[in-house]
């Protein structure tokens, strides 16, 4: 395993913004750069799509009715049925699913290296308050991640959590000191092989007291940062053995210093986790002024893609037996064998955008119509004419992972996308 240390890559605020357009660096966003357009974006209401409407889901024994989460009566609500239907799935609690297998592999590492001192939570409801999701972890009031463009809102005070960090403060207040929180998280995001609007994270949190660092001869922040990196490098070795990885300095509102770990996968660097030394204010809120802590948030799909060689994030949601039968409880060493690659079908769509247009809204429309038959949405042309009108051309890649799509089916999907985009997004087709 090579661990490349990338020096001085603390993103300047401007460069962070440039790197952020695909939402990947979302909690790294500097709040002062959040764009107004994002806040004024209309909410695409995407009910009644090709998804069968699920009327209720069960989350850890609690029944959640569709009408409490997908609401036509609240203009803030932007949860489509396609997302609601994922709420009770809990892939992380299935022992034979790659997400469950990797979660258990991580538990194993913590149990054996930390004598079971990390408590585990994996059944906390993904429906949380904006206070839990944002305020408690110091996300500024104007931070881009709070926008309707980036987050699924149930109502103005309630969201589908967009990270497992939403549970840090509440667990601290309840007296927990070292814990792992695993759960499904939700984000409005771009569409490609490594991004999906529902994915799974595992949060890790660990507190130290003065007796831990006093004898080390280094200050408490440095002590925690070194311990954190050592812990996560050990975890990567436990999961992957030899793999090329590197640390990148970054920014999160809730940690300082902050880092991301990237792993070399399919000829590119893939960001698999964010982490850092917890901001003192968060500890202070729970009366832990004299302590220091580290925290991390792992992207379980990203880790599982590397571990099992899974090429497309949509596969995690497949119930095709050719996918599911390849994985077994506790089998960390298996490599996924693709069961034939079906041909892609490319369709372009061009339109004049309005001020309120955002790419996430467009992706939600496409996802609402084509579901997992859409593999990628890519901006391939962008220009502004003399009158100041801006045109975007997107290439939509349709491909099923389970069968060949017919021309008729794809044409039908594309025609629905064209209709819906005009109707919901206030754009003019070209
Ligand atoms: C966070 O969510 C922070 N809460 C992580 C954290 C926790 C930092 C504690 C410090 C302390 P970020 O937005 O970068 O950070 O997401 C964390 C990880 O989730 C990413 O590294 C990536 O592996 C994964 N991830 C992010 N967006 C997606 C997506 N759309 N699809 C799949 N995985 C994703
Ligand atoms: Mg990130």
């Amino acid at each position: 395993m090579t661990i490349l240390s990338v020096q001085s890559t603390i993103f300047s605020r401007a460069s962070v913004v440039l790197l952020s357009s695909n939402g990947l660096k979302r909690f790294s966003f500097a709040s002062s750069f959040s764009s107004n357009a994002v806040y004024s974006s209309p909410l695409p209401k995407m009910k009644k799509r090709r998804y069968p409407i699920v009327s209720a889901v069960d989350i850890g024994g609690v029944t959640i009715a569709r009408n409490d989460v997908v609401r036509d009566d609240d203009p803030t609500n932007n949860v489509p049925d396609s997302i609601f239907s994922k709420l009770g799935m809990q892939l992380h609690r299935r022992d034979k699913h790659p997400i469950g297998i990797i979660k258990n592999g991580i538990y194993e590492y913590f149990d054996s290296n930390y004598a079971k001192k990390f408590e585990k939570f994996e059944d906390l409801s993904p429906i949380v308050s904006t206070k839990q999701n944002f305020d408690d972890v110091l996300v500024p009031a104007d931070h881009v991640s709070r926008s309707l463009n980036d987050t699924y809102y149930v109502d103005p005070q309630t969201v589908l959590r967009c990270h497992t960090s939403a549970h840090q403060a509440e667990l601290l207040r309840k007296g927990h000191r070292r814990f792992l929180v695993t759960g499904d998280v939700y984000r409005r995001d771009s569409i490609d092989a490594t991004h999906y609007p529902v994915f799974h994270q595992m949060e890790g949190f660990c507190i130290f007291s003065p007796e831990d660092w006093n004898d080390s001869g280094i200050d408490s922040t440095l002590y925690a940062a070194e311990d954190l990196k050592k812990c996560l490098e050990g975890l990567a070795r436990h999961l992957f053995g030899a793999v090329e990885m590197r640390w990148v300095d970054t920014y999160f509102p809730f940690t300082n210093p902050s880092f991301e770990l990237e792993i070399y996968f399919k000829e590119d660097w893939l960001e698999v986790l964010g982490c850092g030394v917890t901001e003192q204010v968060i500890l202070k809120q729970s009366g832990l002024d004299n302590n220091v802590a580290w925290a991390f948030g792992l992207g379980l799909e990203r880790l599982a893609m590397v571990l099992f060689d899974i090429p497309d994030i949509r596969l995690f949601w497949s119930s095709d037996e050719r996918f599911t039968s390849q994985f077994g409880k506790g089998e960390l060493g298996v490599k996924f064998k693709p069961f034939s690659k079906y041909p892609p079908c490319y369709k372009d769509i061009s339109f004049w955008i309005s001020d309120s247009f955002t790419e996430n809204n467009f992706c939600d429309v496409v996802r609402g119509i084509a579901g997992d038959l859409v593999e990628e949405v890519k901006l391939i042309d962008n220009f502004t004419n003399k009158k100041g009108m801006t045109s975007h051309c997107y290439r939509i890649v349709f491909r099923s992972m389970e069968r060949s799509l017919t021309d008729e089916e794809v044409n039908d999907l594309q025609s629905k996308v064209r209709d819906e985009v005009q109707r919901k997004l206030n754009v003019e087709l070209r």
Side-chain angles (χ1 to χ4, degrees):
M1 182 182 58
T2 326
I3 299 172
L4 297 173
S5 191
V6 177
Q7 295 299 326
S8 66
T9 39
I10 295 186
F11 296 140
S12 70
R13 296 197 157 214
S15 66
V16 168
V17 173
L18 287 173
L19 284 162
S20 298
S21 59
N22 65 359
L24 209 122
K25 306 277 179 201
R26 137 189 186 102
F27 281 102
S28 324
F29 275 16
S31 62
S32 49
F33 285 86
S34 55
S35 97
N36 290 332
V38 167
Y39 286 89
S40 62
S41 65
L43 281 176
K45 281 285 205 176
M46 297 211 312
K47 328 289 167 173
K48 306 174 210 80
R49 286 293 149 259
R50 65 191 292 279
Y51 289 91
I53 293 190
V54 178
S55 62
V57 294
D58 178 276
I59 306 177
V62 179
T63 303
I64 313 275
R66 171 188 180 269
N67 295 348
D68 291 337
V69 179
V70 182
R71 295 187 9 202
D72 297 308
D73 60 339
D74 187 332
T76 319
N77 188 286
N78 59 353
V79 184
D81 277 301
S82 57
I83 291 293
F84 176 71
S85 68
K86 300 280 199 290
L87 271 176
M89 303 277 264
Q90 297 200 313
L91 301 183
H92 58 287
R93 306 188 78 196
R94 302 182 188 181
D95 287 341
K96 295 183 197 154
H97 188 281
I99 300 297
I101 300 170
I102 203 149
K103 178 205 73 181
N104 289 329
I106 300 169
Y107 280 0
E108 216 174 82
Y109 170 78
F110 278 93
D111 284 348
S112 56
N113 288 280
Y114 297 89
K116 298 202 171 172
K117 291 220 174 91
F118 279 81
E119 291 179 89
K120 304 179 189 92
F121 300 87
E122 49 179 52
D123 206 7
L124 302 174
S125 174
I127 303 169
V128 301
S129 63
T130 49
K131 177 176 179 297
Q132 288 172 292
N133 200 67
F134 300 121
D135 304 328
D136 280 354
V137 279
L138 316 177
V139 176
D142 60 350
H143 194 274
V144 68
S145 67
R146 291 187 186 244
S147 72
L148 296 167
N149 186 55
D150 284 38
T151 292
Y152 289 107
Y153 277 79
V154 174
D155 62 43
Q157 286 83 40
T158 317
V159 296
L160 303 184
R161 68 182 162 212
C162 55
H163 55 170
T164 43
S165 303
H167 301 288
Q168 272 189 19
E170 107 196 44
L171 291 173
L172 279 178
R173 278 195 293 271
K174 287 183 178 159
H176 304 286
R177 297 293 175 255
R178 282 177 171 199
F179 49 83
L180 301 172
V181 181
T182 313
D184 35 329
V185 301
Y186 298 79
R187 295 184 187 182
R188 301 185 79 228
D189 216 330
S190 49
I191 298 183
D192 63 31
T194 60
H195 289 80
Y196 200 80
V198 188
F199 60 100
H200 296 76
Q201 284 190 341
M202 186 190 291
E203 191 85 1
F205 198 94
C206 184
I207 287 199
F208 301 92
S209 43
E211 51 271 27
D212 293 316
W213 70 79
N214 272 346
D215 296 337
S216 69
I218 50 177
D219 81 71
S220 58
T221 305
L222 195 58
Y223 177 84
E226 284 188 357
D227 189 83
L228 170 65
K229 285 187 171 176
K230 208 173 72 202
C231 167
L232 291 170
E233 286 166 14
L235 172 63
R237 256 192 310 274
H238 171 76
L239 293 175
F240 303 116
V243 71
E244 209 177 339
M245 58 174 103
R246 66 182 187 187
W247 286 106
V248 179
D249 292 335
T250 188
Y251 164 84
F252 293 107
F254 29 90
T255 50
N256 187 17
S258 305
F259 317 100
E260 281 169 344
L261 186 66
E262 298 185 342
I263 290 186
Y264 202 67
F265 177 61
K266 301 219 179 286
E267 281 148 41
D268 206 357
W269 290 103
L270 179 66
E271 179 203 321
V272 296
L273 67 89
C275 66
V277 178
T278 301
E279 283 286 2
Q280 275 302 316
V281 186
I282 295 178
L283 298 180
K284 210 166 166 184
Q285 281 163 356
S286 293
L288 295 160
D289 311 44
N290 295 321
N291 300 73
V292 65
W294 56 237
F296 63 73
L298 311 175
L300 294 185
E301 275 79 356
R302 301 269 179 91
L303 291 172
M305 287 174 88
V306 177
L307 185 64
F308 300 107
D309 220 358
I310 295 174
D312 192 304
I313 198 163
R314 290 174 298 165
L315 280 162
F316 293 106
W317 298 94
S318 173
S319 52
D320 190 316
E321 217 204 294
R322 288 169 297 175
F323 177 75
T324 54
S325 66
Q326 293 195 30
F327 307 97
K329 185 175 175 184
E331 293 174 11
L332 280 166
V334 173
K335 291 289 174 214
F336 172 65
K337 289 182 222 56
F339 41 87
S340 119
K341 194 123 164 125
Y342 297 92
C345 182
Y346 303 93
K347 292 280 171 195
D348 293 352
I349 179 170
S350 306
F351 42 75
W352 299 108
I353 63 165
S354 63
D355 288 347
S356 60
F357 176 83
T358 76
E359 197 168 303
N360 281 356
N361 286 350
F362 177 62
C363 286
D364 235 1
V365 166
V366 180
R367 195 82 88 174
I369 290 163
D372 286 351
L373 299 181
V374 56
E375 178 170 285
E376 191 172 2
V377 171
K378 216 170 23 186
L379 181 66
I380 56 169
D381 189 40
N382 177 6
F383 70 90
T384 302
N385 71 8
K386 284 192 198 123
K387 290 189 209 149
M389 292 162 76
T390 298
S391 164
H392 280 188
C393 178
Y394 288 93
R395 175 153 300 160
I396 305 177
V397 185
F398 294 99
R399 189 205 310 252
S400 164
M401 286 165 302
E402 293 155 9
R403 61 191 173 82
S404 285
L405 298 176
T406 63
D407 284 348
E408 197 189 350
E409 191 176 11
V410 173
N411 288 337
D412 184 49
L413 290 172
Q414 181 71 358
S415 131
K416 286 195 175 118
V417 169
R418 290 176 67 83
D419 289 350
E420 187 91 352
V421 158
Q422 265 191 125
R423 209 158 59 79
K424 306 275 190 194
L425 301 186
N426 191 24
V427 302
E428 196 187 315
L429 289 178
R430 299 184 52 216

